[in-house]
Every structure is written in structure tokens, then in C-alpha cells.
Amino acid sequence: MHKANNLGALAGVDHGFCTIDDPLRPDEVFICKQVHSATTIEWHPELTPNTVEADGVFSRDVQPIAVITADCLPLLMASESGDLVAAIHGGWKGLQGGIIANAMQRFAAEGVALDQLRIAIGPSIKPCCYEVSGEFVAQLQASQGHLWRDGNAPWAFEQPGPLLAPEIQPPEPRQVLSAWFDLGRYALILLEAAGIKPEQVEVSEVCTYCTSPAFASYRRRTHDSTERKTLLYSWISRTAQI
């Protein structure tokens, strides 16, 4: 079970990033039917898990809420007071579609000032292992290049090394004129554009592809057909009811 220091320091909030079979994972977690959208909802007891199409869920309750991932970003968020928490599924489609801006707007609408937020980005695929096409880069540059006009784009044309010592060899390039995409940096750029300061965010260095065979990686599974399908659960809950 991985924990983020910034969320762990908040009274009234519990959370974790864990494998599907982790014995410390809460027995009953609510997840949406994730569809790589920019939609967020608020949990209430009448909702049935895995039926409501959305990629972000908010709660003021002790009911654990979660997102499931297998390379995408899991973002767990909480107000400093611990009164409101959220779990966001951040694939590139949802990020490009505006799920971070939508989440920030929902916090603001609930009376939470953005400078009162603490955000943890859990294990995800890192640029050492996330190869994308030149067409992908061109399309993202055309639609959102203004966000990094004065800084570094969230990709590199030379494969970077892993942030942590790998247990699994990062993949060799498989495309011509490809790039290596930094999904976490992309999210940080979008968070900053939405009004979040870097010091409010903690980002795990764990790469779901190469850091450990226990972590779920959709891309690694496409490269190795013998690998079993699994998932990463990222959950958060309030520990005290208002």
C-alpha cells in the first residue's frame, strides 16, 4: 500500500494506492464506470458502483471512493480541512477533455478555495516507458500547445531513463519518429493552469510499467501476452462524518 505524505498529514482523511489484491484495501469502495471522460459526480448512497459513467467522484462521506488504473494517472484530492475528497481518473483523453478544470470548478463550487487543496498523483506509466506517435504529439500541440509556450512540453524525443531502479526492462522504441510522453507532467501543467501551485501536489515516482511486476500496466501487458490482467486501486475517504 502506497501512501502520499501530503494527504497522510491531513486529519480526517485516509487513502492508499494499492494492488487489487492488497489485504489493506477497503472491502467496499465506490468506483464509477470509467470511460475516459471529463465528467465528475458526487457520491451518494443510492449509486451502484461501476454503473455511472464518469471519471471523477467526490464525497463528504466516510464511504471510500476510488479510481482503477493500469497506467493512467490516479489523482486523489482533499481539502485541507478534510471535509471534501475526490478520486480522479486521468488518462490522456480525460486530461485533454478538461477533467482537471472540471474538478477544480467543483471544489470551488463547494466552497473549497483552491489553495486549500492537497493533491496526490499515484503510480502511473512514466516517460521512460510511454512511447507515443508523432501524430499524437502534433495533435496535442495543436490543441493545447499554448499551455507550455513558455516552458517544456510534456514529452521528449529521446527516451529518458527510469526515475527509480527498474525491475522490468523499459520497452525498446517500436515506432518511427515517436516521442516519450510524460503524463504526470501534463497533469501538473493542467493543474497549474487551473490555479494549483506545485507545492500542493505530490507525485509518485513509481512507474507502473518498469518499477514492479506487481503493478498493473496495460501497455506492459500488450507487450507480453502471458502477463495476467490486473488493476491498481487508488482510494480515499473521510474518516469522520460531519
Side-chain angles (χ1 to χ4, degrees):
M1 178 83 70
H2 284 251
K3 299 275 190 177
N5 292 326
N6 62 349
L7 294 182
L10 298 180
V13 173
D14 197 8
H15 77 287
F17 302 97
C18 62
T19 58
I20 191 173
D21 53 359
D22 193 311
L24 297 179
R25 181 172 69 87
D27 291 331
E28 301 293 334
V29 295
F30 176 86
I31 59 172
C32 301
K33 183 178 181 180
Q34 296 172 193
V35 291
H36 291 273
S37 69
T39 302
T40 68
I41 63 168
E42 183 166 357
W43 178 85
H44 57 80
E46 292 74 27
L47 292 178
T48 302
N50 204 29
T51 62
V52 184
E53 290 192 355
D55 286 82
V57 56
F58 284 70
S59 179
R60 292 185 180 273
D61 204 274
V62 295
Q63 162 69 41
I65 55 175
V67 289
I68 54 175
T69 57
D71 278 337
C72 293
L73 298 182
L75 297 96
L76 300 180
M77 308 179 176
S79 61
E80 231 176 29
S81 65
D83 292 342
L84 184 62
V85 298
I88 305 294
H89 168 231
W92 72 263
K93 290 182 181 178
L95 294 176
Q96 185 183 33
I99 194 166
I100 282 180
N102 291 349
M104 297 304 102
Q105 289 167 9
R106 184 180 283 267
F107 272 113
E110 293 290 337
V112 178
L114 294 186
D115 63 0
Q116 297 299 302
L117 284 180
R118 296 297 175 264
I119 299 170
I121 299 177
S124 65
I125 195 166
K126 301 299 182 185
C128 53
C129 300
Y130 193 4
E131 185 182 18
V132 296
S133 68
E135 289 81 6
F136 174 93
V137 165
Q139 188 270 338
L140 199 63
Q141 177 65 33
S143 66
Q144 295 188 316
H146 61 281
L147 293 173
W148 45 83
R149 183 182 300 117
D150 299 324
N152 295 324
W155 61 76
F157 292 104
E158 182 176 341
Q159 184 177 11
L163 296 174
L164 301 174
E167 291 189 31
I168 298 169
Q169 184 66 29
E172 295 291 331
R174 293 168 182 250
Q175 303 178 55
V176 177
L177 301 177
S178 61
W180 300 88
F181 193 59
D182 192 336
L183 195 60
R185 176 166 174 74
Y186 182 34
L188 289 172
I189 290 170
L190 295 172
L191 285 165
E192 186 174 359
I196 301 297
K197 296 180 174 62
E199 55 266 27
Q200 295 174 248
V201 187
E202 184 174 324
V203 184
S204 170
E205 293 187 339
V206 170
C207 176
T208 46
Y209 188 111
C210 72
T211 297
S212 168
F215 289 111
S217 173
Y218 172 81
R219 179 155 296 209
R220 191 176 69 224
R221 190 159 52 85
T222 65
H223 293 171
D224 180 2
S225 60
T226 66
E227 183 164 319
R228 71 184 182 98
K229 182 178 181 180
T230 185
L231 295 167
L232 181 73
Y233 272 75
S234 302
W235 61 273
I236 190 167
S237 68
R238 299 190 63 244
T239 58
Q241 184 78 48
I242 293 177

